[in-house]
């Protein structure tokens, strides 16, 4: 039986590239300096193809494919920025903007400018609305800013910590990140390592000191709220 090829050769935006078998299109594109935008994909997490911002056109197929999870194949012809691809990315960004507070998501804002996304395209779009959760001394959870990229949940689980403090509740548009049974974070398995905060692309998770300074609190006032938090041991929902 013939051995499977150890490398494959494909064309990306007119450039021929040879890469090891099972390399994703995203990895192959980056190896030749072709930039493909991503939100959910991160070097510290396993790609899931969730946000669909990295879609590319493969062999002019019927559907666009997420570059972060599709492996390269011999003879593929990939277009990463034709009009069809750009229209798809622009629409995804406009839909995200209609539903989520992206005011503190600088990378996504840059993508919106790059792809000419219209922030007002869906003015009647339903918004994600959640109370801001202040239930621990280390970070704030503002899921109004969450784009459901799963990065936080993945680093909390198999991709890093194996803590599994975070989960998903509800389905469809109502789906959101939470703890099991929506318990306060200090009652969960969270060890407050901060890795979830570090990979969040939208500041939905933010260090409490940074959040407090933005609210106009002094460092002493922020420390006092954290001490009060420990005494109360009850979550505060900041409206």
């Amino acid at each position: 039986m013939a051995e499977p090829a150890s490398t494959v050769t494909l064309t990306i935006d007119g450039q021929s590239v040879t890469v090891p078998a099972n390399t994703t299109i995203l990895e192959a594109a980056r190896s030749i300096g072709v930039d493909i935008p991503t939100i959910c994909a991160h070097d510290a997490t396993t790609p899931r193809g969730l946000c669909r911002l990295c879609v590319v056109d493969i062999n002019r197929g019927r559907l666009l494919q997420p570059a972060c999870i599709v492996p390269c194949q011999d003879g593929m012809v990939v277009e990463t920025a034709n009009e069809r691809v750009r229209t798809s990315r622009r629409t995804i960004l406009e839909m995200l903007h209609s539903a989520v507070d992206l005011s503190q998501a600088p990378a996504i804002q840059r993508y919106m400018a790059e792809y000419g996304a219209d922030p007002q395209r869906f003015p009647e779009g339903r918004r994600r609305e959640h109370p801001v959760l202040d239930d621990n001394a280390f970070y704030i959870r503002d899921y109004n800013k969450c784009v459901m990229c799963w990065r936080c949940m993945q680093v909390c689980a198999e991709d890093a910590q194996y803590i599994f403090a975070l989960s998903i509740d509800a389905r469809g548009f109502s789906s959101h990140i939470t703890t099991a049974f929506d318990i306060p974070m200090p009652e969960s398995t969270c060890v407050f390592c901060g890795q979830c905060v570090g990979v969040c692309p939208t500041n939905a998770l933010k260090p409490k000191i940074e959040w407090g300074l933005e609210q106009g609190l002094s460092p002493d006032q922020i420390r006092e709220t954290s001490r009060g938090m420990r005494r109360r041991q009850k979550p505060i929902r900041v409206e």
Side-chain angles (χ1 to χ4, degrees):
M1 179 179 295
E3 292 290 331
S6 58
T7 61
V8 295
T9 298
L10 65 157
T11 301
I12 300 178
D13 291 346
Q15 298 186 61
S16 178
V17 56
T18 299
V19 294
N22 296 319
T23 299
T24 67
I25 293 173
L26 180 63
E27 293 168 331
R30 286 176 173 173
S31 74
I32 56 173
V34 174
D35 183 46
I36 297 176
T38 61
I39 297 177
C40 65
H42 187 278
D43 290 344
T45 61
T46 303
R48 300 289 185 186
L50 295 172
C51 73
R52 317 301 284 190
L53 197 65
C54 69
V55 291
V56 294
D57 198 331
I58 301 174
N59 301 333
R60 296 292 177 98
R62 186 173 67 88
L63 301 175
L64 300 177
Q65 302 291 326
C68 69
I69 57 173
V70 174
C72 296
Q73 294 183 19
D74 225 21
M76 264 184 175
V77 177
V78 179
E79 296 174 72
T80 70
N82 64 21
E83 189 53 37
R84 185 183 177 207
V85 169
R86 291 183 62 85
T87 298
S88 175
R89 290 176 185 161
R90 183 166 57 246
T91 303
I92 288 169
L93 291 165
E94 290 168 340
M95 293 176 71
L96 269 182
H97 190 278
S98 74
V100 181
D101 176 3
L102 300 176
S103 61
Q104 296 188 25
I108 298 177
Q109 290 179 11
R110 283 197 299 273
Y111 292 148
M112 291 193 66
E114 179 180 349
Y115 287 91
D118 177 5
Q120 304 304 320
R121 183 175 176 191
F122 302 109
E124 305 298 327
R126 182 180 167 192
R127 303 286 294 176
R128 287 182 179 272
E129 295 181 344
H130 301 277
V132 178
L133 299 177
D134 179 9
D135 64 356
N136 67 84
F138 301 98
Y139 60 90
I140 298 292
R141 292 183 286 154
D142 182 356
Y143 292 129
N144 299 298
K145 297 182 173 66
C146 178
V147 293
M148 291 297 288
C149 66
W150 290 19
R151 288 186 189 179
C152 58
M153 197 170 62
Q154 287 183 265
V155 294
C156 190
E158 292 98 335
D159 282 340
Q161 280 289 339
Y162 275 85
I163 295 299
F164 300 93
L166 296 172
S167 181
I168 296 176
D169 191 17
R171 302 180 64 180
F173 185 85
S174 299
S175 63
H176 59 278
I177 303 295
T178 184
T179 55
F181 304 107
D182 199 26
I183 58 177
M185 197 58 76
E187 296 177 16
S188 75
T189 55
C190 179
V191 295
F192 300 100
C193 66
Q195 294 196 66
C196 56
V197 179
V199 297
C200 178
T202 62
N203 277 303
L205 305 177
K206 177 176 286 188
K208 191 162 186 176
I209 186 74
E210 181 181 351
W211 178 84
L213 291 173
E214 289 176 353
Q215 305 305 308
L217 302 177
S218 68
D220 286 342
Q221 289 174 314
I222 297 169
R223 280 191 287 273
E224 183 57 35
T225 63
S226 296
R227 292 190 192 101
M229 184 74 61
R230 287 193 287 274
R231 286 195 296 270
R232 288 191 296 273
Q233 294 185 333
K234 297 281 187 181
I236 292 177
R237 292 173 180 258
V238 182
E239 302 297 343

